[in-house]
Amino acid sequence: MRLVLTLMVVLLSFSSVAKPLSYYFEQDVKFDPSIPTPKQVLGYEVGEWHVRHDQLVRYMEILADKSDRINFEVIGRTHEQRPLVMLTITAANKLSNIEQTRQAHLARLSNNNDKAQDEPAVVWMGYSVHGNESSGSNSSLLVAYYLAAAQGDEVDELLNNTVILLDPSLNPDGLARFANWANSNRGMNLSSDPKTREHVENWPSSRTNHYWFDLNRDWLLLQHPESRARIAKFHQWKPNVLTDFHEMGPNSSYFFQPGIPSRKHPITPDENVTLTKAIANYHAKTLDKNNALYFTEESFDDFYYGKGSTYPDVNGGVGILFEQASSRGHVQETINGTLTFPFTIKNQLLTSLSTFKAAVDNRTALLDYQAKFYNQAADLASDESFEGYVVEGASDNTRIEHFLELLKQHQINAYPLTKSLKADGKNFSTHSYFVPLAQPQYRLVKAVFSEQKNFTDNTFYDVSGWTLAHAFNLPFSKVKSSWGLKVADKAWEKVATPSFSPLTEGYAFGFSWDDYLAPKMLNSLLQQGIKARVALKALTAKSTSGEINFKPGSIIIPAGLQTNTDWITLLNKAQNEFGIAIKPITSGLTSKGADLGSRSMAVVSAPKVLLIGGLGASQYEVGEVWYYLDRFVGVAPTIVEMNRLSSLELSDYSHIVLAHGNYNSLSDTDKVAIKSWVRKGGVIWGHKGGAKFLADQQLLKASYLSRQDVASAFNTTGLSYGDKDHLAGRQRIAGAIFNTNVDLTHPLTFSLKRNTLPVFKNSTWLLEASDAPFVNVLTYTKNPLLAGFTDAVNVEQVAGGAGLIAHSYGRGSVIAMTDNPVFRGYWYGTSRLLSNALFFGHTFRANGEQ
């Protein structure tokens, strides 16, 4: 009998969770009957199915067509070419003059007029940046319907006092994947069992975008079209309030900010927290009225400016995070009872409406705060002990251009130096750039260059350091005085790709490995049949215009090896496409260094990469490798789950890449096959968990400290139970930047110029330096912490350890890195280690044994 009763609980008729509009809205709300409801367009009630992205977009288009309150705009497209939709919503008479309203809003931020008059507050509503947290996007159907069709004094007051920017799906590709998953795995009778397939996605989950990135970490880094389009629109308006609707575990309730008070970024003004608390009262009131459970101030933080709810805080706005307990599918049993999809949607609707009410009532305070935020920037900058930052340019034109372009997208100006400068004991050439503090984005400038290492609360939900110049491996210093500082009148602007003189027949050609796109150009040429060599030693070659110096890592293309009759045409096309000069060489006899027929001219081949993923592997880090190889190297890796590895012929691949993860589920047969493949000449790369696997399988001849080993170094004597969370915060490395020493003579470091290299660390798994010669490619410095918090106990354990170890294994090579070289797609400095491994991983020989 008990089994029968259980089945009656967990098997629910689908009609029992479908809810009409009256479930979502109060009875006294009247709607314009000429505006179609979601059901009239979709064919089902909101929450009855998970809305597909194409359905969502279509409904928003129809609303804009039927309502004079709404403008519909496509602001960009995703990787999968889905439209990124933005609705601009306000009173009809204001919408007809919306550009004038926008310009007036921005003008207040630069005219020293702090006091608001009749200007509307700008409210940005953003839903479901994580695709499988879909109650947000589904609630946006109802929010948009309310704004288009609701009648009465309350909605009139809202529309007359605000401009609402509604983004119904921050992650269309992820939302589309999840809608397909949830809808295709439900029956007419719904199972609320948390273990059913509907509630447990396959690897990788639809939380992420096309390349398996978490878009909620990309607001600052702007690696993806979704983020770039969004930030462009953000700065067109500079909203006063930005909402970010998420979901969390099913057994929770509802969260809205403020988060943990001590964990805001120190650059964020305290008044931001005051306004966030004032707005929170409105959410509490509406959730109280609906008997919904919720909590605040005991979870989440407002520290990392790369999150959607925190980016506004460094741009004069107030960002607000919402987290709803997730039904994941359509209904799920939880510790709080049966959680239905419509219930989760309703909570997101309720707090959307309470946000509107708060924005209207606090309009003046929000507008005045934002104006003061920007109008005080110059005064705050003048109170600083330094003028700004100088950043060294590089012979790597692409890397510095991408860095400057990233700053510009955040409205940060950088000015080319017109005279060399000495700052903080370092010399900066005229290829350098000055980023002044005295500009409207004063606070954001400080944030992206910050090297702060200790904070009021040293516990972090996400990363604690993200210094952009370190990520791009660009030397920089504070400029203490304007004396001797000479810069161009105009800020940096992107210029067109340079054109080059046409190449004609010659003995050979060569190009430098310095530029960030050199690996992509080489791979493109190799894929088209061009035969190339890499110079393992420096040389000076002869040309019609004199002698040319080629550094180690330079690519040499001898005419005598070519079999493609169009090879000169391909070279000309390549140098113009990638912006990298290819230089003619007139003789194989060099004036210095190896001749072109030397054995130190190693063969390079187009890599065939096997990237192993699947359950146990980090979808983020596998995705980051995929993204880097695809976007910046032009390599399409073969991605396979671990359980399919045995079906492959490993000899078809030149490289295997193991990103972070647990690879213990590989069968013994697979492990033996991998060892045999490396021994026969394969190149295997592993980082973090991938490196641990290599060490555990004795492919990597190195020792390591596990997370447990590192944690055991902390003294726990006398600690009480209340100290547990504080200790956990000390023991972890949430995300900080460390410095390493670099063996610049090693092929894996070709293109690097400095003998130090910043790396990003978010794990306490540590490789120990090898006693064997020639294998420690990167080692952490004696005082390695550059930016972000790491407890002194952990810093001491990191110091002197190995950052990257590489050695031979039979005829093959094993390369292991302690950290992720392509973290979140923006670590341009360390990512070159991975592409070097692809093209030069076979060129070194070193015995890993002492």
Side-chain angles (χ1 to χ4, degrees):
M1 177 62 73
R2 180 175 297 174
L3 176 61
V4 173
L5 289 174
T6 301
L7 289 173
M8 290 176 65
V9 169
V10 299
L11 295 177
L12 303 174
S13 167
F14 193 76
S15 61
S16 68
V17 295
K19 302 295 182 182
L21 282 177
S22 59
Y23 169 77
Y24 295 105
F25 293 105
E26 295 182 2
Q27 298 303 310
D28 59 350
V29 179
K30 305 301 180 185
F31 294 99
D32 181 350
S34 70
I35 304 296
T37 67
K39 182 179 181 180
Q40 288 172 328
V41 174
L42 303 176
Y44 58 86
E45 298 285 5
V46 172
E48 193 172 353
W49 293 85
H50 282 254
V51 69
R52 301 193 315 266
H53 183 259
D54 61 296
Q55 294 174 310
L56 182 67
V57 171
R58 181 59 184 147
Y59 183 65
M60 299 302 172
E61 287 178 320
I62 291 173
L63 284 184
D65 180 61
K66 298 294 184 181
S67 171
D68 58 3
R69 303 171 179 177
I70 299 177
N71 274 346
F72 176 94
E73 183 182 4
V74 174
I75 62 173
R77 291 194 174 269
T78 69
H79 287 293
E80 297 177 15
Q81 297 305 302
R82 289 186 174 86
L84 297 162
V85 170
M86 179 65 67
L87 274 62
T88 304
I89 308 171
T90 190
N93 63 320
K94 292 183 179 295
L95 194 62
S96 61
N97 295 305
I98 195 66
E99 179 59 19
Q100 182 180 343
T101 300
R102 186 186 73 83
Q103 291 184 11
H105 176 73
L106 294 182
R108 292 185 61 255
L109 309 183
S110 58
N111 63 9
N112 294 315
N113 179 13
D114 292 350
K115 297 301 179 182
Q117 303 297 325
D118 298 326
E119 297 92 343
V122 179
V123 182
W124 181 299
M125 307 297 289
Y127 297 92
S128 299
V129 72
H130 298 138
N132 59 6
E133 299 177 5
S134 58
S135 60
S137 286
N138 281 266
S139 74
S140 76
L141 293 161
L142 298 168
V143 175
Y145 173 67
Y146 173 83
L147 294 171
Q151 304 294 300
D153 293 341
E154 184 172 346
V155 74
D156 287 344
E157 183 184 20
L158 168 63
L159 295 172
N160 280 310
N161 286 279
T162 61
V163 172
I164 297 168
L165 304 172
L166 192 151
D167 185 338
S169 174
L170 294 157
N171 179 7
D173 294 347
L175 182 74
R177 292 205 309 274
F178 186 66
N180 181 66
W181 178 270
N183 291 335
S184 64
N185 284 292
R186 68 95 165 166
M188 295 307 298
N189 294 295
L190 302 180
S191 172
S192 61
D193 186 346
K195 299 297 190 295
T196 192
R197 177 177 166 84
E198 181 185 355
H199 300 140
V200 184
E201 288 184 85
N202 281 341
W203 186 99
S205 78
S206 51
R207 172 185 176 90
T208 52
N209 79 336
H210 174 80
Y211 282 102
W212 310 337
F213 275 64
D214 183 342
L215 288 178
N216 196 41
R217 303 299 187 268
D218 196 47
W219 285 71
L220 185 65
L221 313 178
L222 305 185
Q223 291 300 301
H224 297 278
E226 299 93 333
S227 306
R228 291 191 289 272
R230 191 167 301 124
I231 288 300
K233 180 58 68 173
F234 178 97
H235 285 294
Q236 284 180 14
W237 275 101
K238 294 194 185 296
N240 301 101
V241 176
L242 183 147
T243 61
D244 191 17
F245 289 87
H246 289 251
E247 291 179 0
M248 53 186 168
N251 290 317
S252 193
S253 57
Y254 196 87
F255 169 85
F256 53 86
Q257 284 179 316
I260 298 174
S262 60
R263 297 181 191 170
K264 79 171 182 66
H265 198 288
I267 290 175
T268 301
D270 291 339
E271 191 176 348
N272 175 284
V273 179
T274 301
L275 287 167
T276 303
K277 288 183 176 179
I279 293 170
N281 291 324
Y282 290 80
H283 308 319
K285 183 178 179 180
T286 192
L287 292 174
D288 285 346
K289 185 177 179 180
N290 286 269
N291 296 321
L293 296 175
Y294 58 86
F295 64 99
T296 67
E297 295 192 314
E298 64 182 79
S299 185
F300 304 101
D301 66 20
D302 243 342
F303 185 84
Y304 173 48
Y305 285 133
K307 294 188 299 185
S309 60
T310 309
Y311 184 78
D313 297 346
V314 77
N315 285 281
V318 177
I320 302 176
L321 170 69
F322 299 95
E323 295 271 357
Q324 164 64 48
S326 178
S327 65
R328 277 298 182 261
H330 293 85
V331 61
Q332 188 167 168
E333 284 303 313
T334 76
I335 62 172
N336 295 316
T338 302
L339 180 63
T340 68
F341 190 37
F343 177 83
T344 69
I345 294 170
K346 183 175 182 178
N347 274 352
Q348 306 283 39
L349 170 66
L350 290 172
T351 51
S352 295
L353 298 179
S354 61
T355 298
F356 296 151
K357 177 64 173 172
V360 171
D361 290 354
N362 293 274
R363 179 185 65 83
T364 299
L366 289 164
L367 289 167
D368 290 350
Y369 165 70
Q370 186 181 48
K372 183 170 66 175
F373 182 96
Y374 282 105
N375 290 325
Q376 287 182 342
D379 291 338
L380 292 171
S382 67
D383 292 338
E384 295 282 0
S385 60
F386 63 105
E387 300 292 323
Y389 301 89
V390 60
V391 182
E392 179 67 52
S395 52
D396 179 351
N397 293 326
T398 298
R399 182 159 46 101
I400 187 65
E401 182 180 273
H402 282 211
F403 172 76
L404 294 169
E405 193 171 24
L406 180 57
L407 295 184
K408 192 164 189 65
Q409 289 175 90
H410 291 296
Q411 310 289 295
I412 294 174
N413 289 322
Y415 296 84
L417 292 190
T418 58
K419 181 183 177 182
S420 59
L421 179 71
K422 189 170 185 177
D424 197 24
K426 302 173 185 176
N427 294 316
F428 293 86
S429 72
T430 53
H431 294 292
S432 303
Y433 299 85
F434 175 62
V435 182
L437 288 178
Q439 56 180 307
Q441 292 291 60
Y442 155 78
R443 290 179 176 85
L444 187 53
V445 170
K446 289 194 68 178
V448 299
F449 283 97
S450 174
E451 295 183 289
Q452 189 170 346
K453 297 172 185 169
N454 278 288
F455 306 86
T456 302
D457 186 334
N458 285 318
T459 304
F460 300 91
Y461 179 75
D462 198 73
V463 301
S464 62
W466 57 82
T467 319
L468 293 184
H470 283 322
F472 281 77
N473 191 25
L474 295 171
F476 72 101
S477 292
K478 289 181 177 179
V479 177
K480 301 293 180 62
S481 170
S482 59
W483 186 86
L485 177 63
K486 303 293 183 183
V487 301
D489 294 334
K490 294 183 178 180
W492 173 86
E493 292 280 356
K494 185 176 181 179
V495 298
T497 302
S499 58
F500 302 96
S501 300
L503 303 172
T504 57
E505 293 285 349
Y507 179 84
F509 297 88
F511 63 89
S512 168
W513 194 244
D514 289 343
D515 194 273
Y516 196 71
L517 291 181
K520 190 172 186 179
M521 185 165 85
L522 173 61
N523 190 62
S524 175
L525 291 170
L526 294 173
Q527 292 284 356
Q528 297 175 87
I530 297 295
K531 306 296 191 297
R533 299 287 187 265
V534 56
L536 299 180
K537 298 178 182 179
L539 60 97
T540 301
K542 301 172 185 177
S543 78
T544 54
S545 58
E547 294 187 332
I548 304 174
N549 294 319
F550 288 100
K551 292 171 287 190
S554 296
I555 302 302
I556 306 299
I557 303 170
L561 297 179
Q562 307 311 315
T563 56
N564 189 326
T565 57
D566 291 332
W567 71 288
I568 296 294
T569 300
L570 295 176
L571 296 187
N572 278 305
K573 181 181 176 182
Q575 67 173 353
N576 287 308
E577 178 183 351
F578 296 101
I580 301 172
I582 298 177
K583 300 177 180 179
I585 299 171
T586 57
S587 174
L589 184 66
T590 63
S591 57
K592 292 182 183 177
D595 296 327
L596 298 197
S598 166
R599 293 175 182 174
S600 66
M601 295 290 171
V603 175
V604 286
S605 303
K608 180 67 173 175
V609 179
L610 179 61
L611 176 57
I612 299 179
L615 193 62
S618 166
Q619 68 178 26
Y620 303 119
E621 299 205 16
V622 173
E624 287 158 5
V625 171
W626 175 26
Y627 172 77
Y628 172 68
L629 297 183
D630 198 20
R631 180 182 177 190
F632 291 117
V633 190
V635 167
T638 298
I639 306 173
V640 298
E641 296 84 352
M642 292 180 222
N643 60 7
R644 291 201 294 126
L645 188 63
S646 59
S647 67
L648 273 62
E649 179 55 62
L650 294 185
S651 61
D652 291 341
Y653 305 94
S654 61
H655 293 71
I656 292 177
V657 176
L658 302 173
H660 180 52
N662 184 334
Y663 296 88
N664 290 336
S665 64
L666 287 173
S667 68
D668 290 342
T669 301
D670 288 336
K671 294 171 184 176
V672 170
I674 290 173
K675 283 187 176 182
S676 174
W677 171 85
V678 178
R679 191 178 291 113
K680 292 176 182 177
V683 176
I684 192 165
W685 167 289
H687 62 256
K688 296 174 65 177
K692 180 181 182 298
F693 172 80
L694 297 179
D696 289 342
Q697 298 305 310
Q698 298 184 337
L699 273 161
L700 178 68
K701 307 301 181 183
S703 301
Y704 62 81
L705 296 178
S706 69
R707 286 177 292 181
Q708 292 76 18
D709 295 332
V710 174
S712 67
F714 286 79
N715 185 359
T716 58
T717 303
L719 295 184
S720 65
Y721 186 79
D723 297 320
K724 183 180 178 182
D725 289 344
H726 178 63
L727 175 63
R730 291 180 61 206
Q731 288 175 327
R732 69 192 288 251
I733 299 177
I737 301 172
F738 285 75
N739 206 14
T740 63
N741 291 316
V742 181
D743 179 357
L744 290 174
T745 68
H746 201 285
L748 293 180
T749 66
F750 285 164
S751 85
L752 300 183
K753 299 295 182 293
R754 294 193 292 167
N755 59 7
T756 58
L757 177 67
V759 300
F760 187 85
K761 176 173 285 299
N762 61 354
S763 167
T764 54
W765 184 84
L766 303 174
L767 267 173
E768 295 185 321
S770 174
D771 292 329
F774 320 126
V775 302
N776 294 310
V777 182
L778 300 183
T779 52
Y780 294 99
T781 61
K782 292 182 179 179
N783 298 295
L785 183 61
L786 290 173
F789 171 75
T790 299
D791 191 275
V793 174
N794 280 337
V795 173
E796 184 177 353
Q797 295 187 88
V798 172
L804 189 148
I805 291 176
H807 61 70
S808 306
Y809 187 90
R811 297 200 304 272
S813 300
V814 178
I815 306 168
M817 190 168 178
T818 310
D819 306 301
N820 179 4
V822 289
F823 178 71
R824 291 183 181 168
Y826 81 112
W827 272 81
Y828 282 52
T830 51
S831 59
R832 287 303 295 271
L833 299 168
L834 180 55
S835 53
N836 284 355
L838 297 188
F839 294 102
F840 312 142
H842 64 289
T843 65
F844 63 86
R845 305 301 299 165
N847 189 345
E849 303 289 353
Q850 184 179 358

